[in-house]
Amino acid sequence: MSLTERVEKALDTVRPYLKADGGDVKVVEITEDGIVKVEMIGACGSCSISPITLKTGIEQAILNEVEEIKSVEAINLTGREQKNVAV
């Protein structure tokens, strides 16, 4: 199974929760240094708690399943929003 397939498999564990609220997440890129860049889509793209969902749900699901991954970043959330997340 490829790295991308393993990341997608990890995301499948949180997708039902995202979709229940009208959102989803799309993998845009996996960098050579182990950073997954995602796009928060649907309701997740504009939700005020998306940075929390990213760090406590999406990132943790991927880190728990794919040891090569070091972090997850959303390309469509501003840096300020992501830095204000206490995890």
Side-chain angles (χ1 to χ4, degrees):
M1 187 179 287
S2 74
L3 182 61
T4 301
E5 290 171 331
R6 290 185 289 142
V7 168
E8 289 288 348
K9 184 178 176 186
L11 287 174
D12 286 344
T13 65
V14 295
R15 279 202 166 103
Y17 305 106
L18 301 174
K19 288 184 176 183
D21 287 331
D24 202 352
V25 63
K26 176 177 135 184
V27 175
V28 176
E29 177 185 11
I30 301 174
T31 68
E32 290 183 12
D33 55 346
I35 298 172
V36 178
K37 296 187 178 189
V38 298
E39 180 179 4
M40 306 292 281
I41 57 178
C44 291
S46 59
C47 178
S48 63
I49 64 166
S50 286
I52 295 169
T53 302
L54 176 70
K55 289 296 174 186
T56 62
I58 295 169
E59 184 173 67
Q60 288 306 307
I62 293 173
L63 294 179
N64 288 340
E65 297 296 323
V66 188
E67 66 184 42
E68 298 95 321
I69 300 303
K70 307 295 182 232
S71 69
V72 178
E73 298 176 357
I75 62 166
N76 58 333
L77 299 179
T78 68
R80 182 181 60 83
E81 290 169 320
Q82 290 187 46
K83 288 177 185 172
N84 289 336
V85 176
V87 257

